[in-house]
mmCIF file of all heavy atoms in Angstrom:
data_model
loop_
_atom_site.group_PDB
_atom_site.id
_atom_site.type_symbol
_atom_site.label_atom_id
_atom_site.label_comp_id
_atom_site.label_asym_id
_atom_site.label_seq_id
_atom_site.Cartn_x
_atom_site.Cartn_y
_atom_site.Cartn_z
ATOM 1 N N ALA A 6 0.832 -1.206 0.000
ATOM 2 C CA ALA A 6 0.000 0.000 0.000
ATOM 3 C C ALA A 6 0.864 1.252 0.000
ATOM 4 O O ALA A 6 0.582 2.227 -0.715
ATOM 5 C CB ALA A 6 -0.932 -0.006 1.214
ATOM 6 N N GLY A 7 1.946 1.255 0.790
ATOM 7 C CA GLY A 7 2.841 2.406 0.830
ATOM 8 C C GLY A 7 3.501 2.674 -0.510
ATOM 9 O O GLY A 7 3.623 3.823 -0.946
ATOM 10 N N LEU A 8 3.927 1.600 -1.193
ATOM 11 C CA LEU A 8 4.537 1.759 -2.512
ATOM 12 C C LEU A 8 3.524 2.287 -3.531
ATOM 13 O O LEU A 8 3.866 3.084 -4.413
ATOM 14 C CB LEU A 8 5.121 0.428 -2.987
ATOM 15 C CG LEU A 8 6.372 -0.043 -2.237
ATOM 16 C CD1 LEU A 8 6.770 -1.436 -2.697
ATOM 17 C CD2 LEU A 8 7.533 0.930 -2.447
ATOM 18 N N LEU A 9 2.274 1.849 -3.402
ATOM 19 C CA LEU A 9 1.232 2.357 -4.297
ATOM 20 C C LEU A 9 0.982 3.848 -4.052
ATOM 21 O O LEU A 9 0.704 4.599 -4.990
ATOM 22 C CB LEU A 9 -0.061 1.557 -4.109
ATOM 23 C CG LEU A 9 -0.032 0.123 -4.644
ATOM 24 C CD1 LEU A 9 -1.316 -0.613 -4.263
ATOM 25 C CD2 LEU A 9 0.144 0.112 -6.162
ATOM 26 N N VAL A 10 1.071 4.269 -2.779
ATOM 27 C CA VAL A 10 0.926 5.692 -2.472
ATOM 28 C C VAL A 10 2.052 6.491 -3.129
ATOM 29 O O VAL A 10 1.818 7.560 -3.705
ATOM 30 C CB VAL A 10 0.916 5.931 -0.955
ATOM 31 C CG1 VAL A 10 0.934 7.430 -0.653
ATOM 32 C CG2 VAL A 10 -0.314 5.302 -0.315
ATOM 33 N N VAL A 11 3.269 5.977 -3.038
ATOM 34 C CA VAL A 11 4.406 6.641 -3.689
ATOM 35 C C VAL A 11 4.149 6.778 -5.188
ATOM 36 O O VAL A 11 4.386 7.837 -5.781
ATOM 37 C CB VAL A 11 5.706 5.855 -3.432
ATOM 38 C CG1 VAL A 11 6.850 6.414 -4.284
ATOM 39 C CG2 VAL A 11 6.077 5.917 -1.953
ATOM 40 N N ALA A 12 3.638 5.703 -5.807
ATOM 41 C CA ALA A 12 3.340 5.749 -7.240
ATOM 42 C C ALA A 12 2.238 6.761 -7.538
ATOM 43 O O ALA A 12 2.330 7.536 -8.502
ATOM 44 C CB ALA A 12 2.926 4.358 -7.730
ATOM 45 N N CYS A 13 1.194 6.771 -6.700
ATOM 46 C CA CYS A 13 0.068 7.704 -6.911
ATOM 47 C C CYS A 13 0.521 9.147 -6.789
ATOM 48 O O CYS A 13 0.193 9.993 -7.638
ATOM 49 C CB CYS A 13 -1.047 7.418 -5.900
ATOM 50 S SG CYS A 13 -1.987 5.900 -6.205
ATOM 51 N N TRP A 14 1.269 9.471 -5.733
ATOM 52 C CA TRP A 14 1.682 10.856 -5.506
ATOM 53 C C TRP A 14 2.735 11.307 -6.527
ATOM 54 O O TRP A 14 2.739 12.454 -6.947
ATOM 55 C CB TRP A 14 2.199 11.029 -4.081
ATOM 56 C CG TRP A 14 1.095 11.124 -3.074
ATOM 57 C CD1 TRP A 14 -0.199 10.711 -3.244
ATOM 58 C CD2 TRP A 14 1.168 11.673 -1.765
ATOM 59 N NE1 TRP A 14 -0.918 10.953 -2.099
ATOM 60 C CE2 TRP A 14 -0.105 11.545 -1.178
ATOM 61 C CE3 TRP A 14 2.191 12.235 -1.019
ATOM 62 C CZ2 TRP A 14 -0.389 11.967 0.111
ATOM 63 C CZ3 TRP A 14 1.918 12.668 0.265
ATOM 64 C CH2 TRP A 14 0.635 12.537 0.830
ATOM 65 N N SER A 15 3.615 10.391 -6.909
ATOM 66 C CA SER A 15 4.594 10.747 -7.947
ATOM 67 C C SER A 15 3.889 10.974 -9.271
ATOM 68 O O SER A 15 4.196 11.923 -9.999
ATOM 69 C CB SER A 15 5.636 9.624 -8.078
ATOM 70 O OG SER A 15 6.309 9.411 -6.858
ATOM 71 N N GLY A 16 2.939 10.103 -9.592
ATOM 72 C CA GLY A 16 2.169 10.271 -10.812
ATOM 73 C C GLY A 16 1.363 11.557 -10.803
ATOM 74 O O GLY A 16 1.197 12.213 -11.833
ATOM 75 N N PHE A 17 0.860 11.932 -9.628
ATOM 76 C CA PHE A 17 0.122 13.192 -9.500
ATOM 77 C C PHE A 17 0.994 14.373 -9.904
ATOM 78 O O PHE A 17 0.545 15.277 -10.624
ATOM 79 C CB PHE A 17 -0.362 13.354 -8.056
ATOM 80 C CG PHE A 17 -0.833 14.739 -7.712
ATOM 81 C CD1 PHE A 17 -2.058 15.199 -8.158
ATOM 82 C CD2 PHE A 17 -0.042 15.591 -6.949
ATOM 83 C CE1 PHE A 17 -2.496 16.493 -7.851
ATOM 84 C CE2 PHE A 17 -0.465 16.866 -6.633
ATOM 85 C CZ PHE A 17 -1.697 17.324 -7.090
ATOM 86 N N ASN A 18 2.241 14.376 -9.435
ATOM 87 C CA ASN A 18 3.148 15.465 -9.794
ATOM 88 C C ASN A 18 3.355 15.535 -11.305
ATOM 89 O O ASN A 18 3.365 16.618 -11.904
ATOM 90 C CB ASN A 18 4.497 15.285 -9.097
ATOM 91 C CG ASN A 18 4.406 15.466 -7.590
ATOM 92 O OD1 ASN A 18 3.507 16.125 -7.085
ATOM 93 N ND2 ASN A 18 5.325 14.855 -6.866
ATOM 94 N N ILE A 19 3.517 14.374 -11.933
ATOM 95 C CA ILE A 19 3.794 14.333 -13.380
ATOM 96 C C ILE A 19 2.549 14.684 -14.186
ATOM 97 O O ILE A 19 2.599 15.489 -15.121
ATOM 98 C CB ILE A 19 4.324 12.934 -13.767
ATOM 99 C CG1 ILE A 19 5.670 12.687 -13.085
ATOM 100 C CG2 ILE A 19 4.460 12.809 -15.274
ATOM 101 C CD1 ILE A 19 6.171 11.263 -13.188
ATOM 102 N N VAL A 20 1.406 14.070 -13.842
ATOM 103 C CA VAL A 20 0.163 14.312 -14.590
ATOM 104 C C VAL A 20 -0.274 15.776 -14.451
ATOM 105 O O VAL A 20 -0.728 16.394 -15.413
ATOM 106 C CB VAL A 20 -0.949 13.357 -14.109
ATOM 107 C CG1 VAL A 20 -2.302 13.744 -14.713
ATOM 108 C CG2 VAL A 20 -0.611 11.921 -14.489
ATOM 109 N N SER A 21 -0.119 16.343 -13.259
ATOM 110 C CA SER A 21 -0.512 17.739 -13.056
ATOM 111 C C SER A 21 0.391 18.688 -13.847
ATOM 112 O O SER A 21 -0.094 19.654 -14.463
ATOM 113 C CB SER A 21 -0.457 18.092 -11.562
ATOM 114 O OG SER A 21 -1.349 17.296 -10.822
ATOM 115 N N ARG A 22 1.675 18.432 -13.840
ATOM 116 C CA ARG A 22 2.601 19.257 -14.618
ATOM 117 C C ARG A 22 2.282 19.134 -16.107
ATOM 118 O O ARG A 22 2.286 20.131 -16.840
ATOM 119 C CB ARG A 22 4.039 18.810 -14.333
ATOM 120 C CG ARG A 22 5.100 19.494 -15.189
ATOM 121 C CD ARG A 22 5.200 20.975 -14.914
ATOM 122 N NE ARG A 22 6.388 21.538 -15.555
ATOM 123 C CZ ARG A 22 6.642 22.827 -15.655
ATOM 124 N NH1 ARG A 22 5.790 23.709 -15.170
ATOM 125 N NH2 ARG A 22 7.745 23.255 -16.243
ATOM 126 N N PHE A 23 1.966 17.926 -16.557
ATOM 127 C CA PHE A 23 1.588 17.705 -17.956
ATOM 128 C C PHE A 23 0.338 18.511 -18.302
ATOM 129 O O PHE A 23 0.233 19.120 -19.368
ATOM 130 C CB PHE A 23 1.342 16.218 -18.189
ATOM 131 C CG PHE A 23 0.786 15.898 -19.552
ATOM 132 C CD1 PHE A 23 1.592 15.916 -20.665
ATOM 133 C CD2 PHE A 23 -0.559 15.584 -19.703
ATOM 134 C CE1 PHE A 23 1.073 15.623 -21.926
ATOM 135 C CE2 PHE A 23 -1.090 15.292 -20.954
ATOM 136 C CZ PHE A 23 -0.267 15.308 -22.061
ATOM 137 N N GLY A 24 -0.622 18.543 -17.372
ATOM 138 C CA GLY A 24 -1.858 19.277 -17.614
ATOM 139 C C GLY A 24 -1.652 20.767 -17.716
ATOM 140 O O GLY A 24 -2.215 21.427 -18.595
ATOM 141 N N THR A 25 -0.829 21.324 -16.831
ATOM 142 C CA THR A 25 -0.625 22.780 -16.847
ATOM 143 C C THR A 25 0.278 23.220 -17.994
ATOM 144 O O THR A 25 0.256 24.390 -18.382
ATOM 145 C CB THR A 25 -0.017 23.268 -15.516
ATOM 146 O OG1 THR A 25 1.209 22.547 -15.257
ATOM 147 C CG2 THR A 25 -0.988 23.049 -14.372
ATOM 148 N N LYS A 26 1.075 22.299 -18.552
ATOM 149 C CA LYS A 26 1.893 22.644 -19.713
ATOM 150 C C LYS A 26 1.083 22.566 -21.000
ATOM 151 O O LYS A 26 1.531 23.009 -22.050
ATOM 152 C CB LYS A 26 3.095 21.695 -19.807
ATOM 153 C CG LYS A 26 4.147 21.922 -18.737
ATOM 154 C CD LYS A 26 5.287 20.942 -18.869
ATOM 155 C CE LYS A 26 6.125 21.209 -20.090
ATOM 156 N NZ LYS A 26 7.302 20.304 -20.174
ATOM 157 N N GLY A 27 -0.100 21.972 -20.934
ATOM 158 C CA GLY A 27 -0.963 21.871 -22.099
ATOM 159 C C GLY A 27 -2.032 22.951 -22.104
ATOM 160 O O GLY A 27 -1.760 24.128 -21.885
ATOM 161 N N LEU A 28 -3.268 22.532 -22.297
ATOM 162 C CA LEU A 28 -4.365 23.480 -22.409
ATOM 163 C C LEU A 28 -4.896 23.972 -21.077
ATOM 164 O O LEU A 28 -5.426 25.072 -20.972
ATOM 165 C CB LEU A 28 -5.527 22.833 -23.190
ATOM 166 C CG LEU A 28 -5.338 22.653 -24.695
ATOM 167 C CD1 LEU A 28 -6.504 21.864 -25.266
ATOM 168 C CD2 LEU A 28 -5.237 24.013 -25.376
ATOM 169 N N PHE A 29 -4.780 23.157 -20.035
ATOM 170 C CA PHE A 29 -5.525 23.420 -18.810
ATOM 171 C C PHE A 29 -4.907 24.541 -17.979
ATOM 172 O O PHE A 29 -3.682 24.666 -17.872
ATOM 173 C CB PHE A 29 -5.599 22.148 -17.950
ATOM 174 C CG PHE A 29 -6.304 21.016 -18.631
ATOM 175 C CD1 PHE A 29 -5.616 19.865 -18.973
ATOM 176 C CD2 PHE A 29 -7.656 21.096 -18.930
ATOM 177 C CE1 PHE A 29 -6.256 18.817 -19.599
ATOM 178 C CE2 PHE A 29 -8.310 20.050 -19.552
ATOM 179 C CZ PHE A 29 -7.608 18.906 -19.904
ATOM 180 N N THR A 30 -5.782 25.323 -17.367
ATOM 181 C CA THR A 30 -5.352 26.276 -16.346
ATOM 182 C C THR A 30 -5.329 25.549 -14.997
ATOM 183 O O THR A 30 -5.940 24.475 -14.849
ATOM 184 C CB THR A 30 -6.327 27.455 -16.247
ATOM 185 O OG1 THR A 30 -7.580 26.986 -15.699
ATOM 186 C CG2 THR A 30 -6.567 28.083 -17.604
ATOM 187 N N PRO A 31 -4.632 26.109 -13.997
ATOM 188 C CA PRO A 31 -4.701 25.501 -12.660
ATOM 189 C C PRO A 31 -6.134 25.391 -12.141
ATOM 190 O O PRO A 31 -6.472 24.443 -11.425
ATOM 191 C CB PRO A 31 -3.869 26.465 -11.802
ATOM 192 C CG PRO A 31 -2.940 27.122 -12.764
ATOM 193 C CD PRO A 31 -3.700 27.239 -14.046
ATOM 194 N N PHE A 32 -6.983 26.332 -12.529
ATOM 195 C CA PHE A 32 -8.374 26.306 -12.078
ATOM 196 C C PHE A 32 -9.155 25.164 -12.726
ATOM 197 O O PHE A 32 -10.073 24.614 -12.122
ATOM 198 C CB PHE A 32 -9.029 27.656 -12.386
ATOM 199 C CG PHE A 32 -8.270 28.828 -11.851
ATOM 200 C CD1 PHE A 32 -7.637 29.715 -12.705
ATOM 201 C CD2 PHE A 32 -8.160 29.036 -10.480
ATOM 202 C CE1 PHE A 32 -6.917 30.795 -12.210
ATOM 203 C CE2 PHE A 32 -7.450 30.117 -9.971
ATOM 204 C CZ PHE A 32 -6.835 30.991 -10.842
#
């Protein structure tokens, strides 16, 4: 479960950065 959390939170950082570099605003 802890390793899955690491994967989820790391993926969150990457997916969010990908989103803000594309079309999406932070809002």
Side-chain angles (χ1 to χ4, degrees):
L8 289 174
L9 289 174
V10 173
V11 171
C13 287
W14 282 19
S15 301
F17 166 75
N18 292 336
I19 295 170
V20 171
S21 299
R22 174 65 169 170
F23 173 76
T25 56
K26 289 179 70 176
L28 287 174
F29 299 114
T30 69
F32 307 111

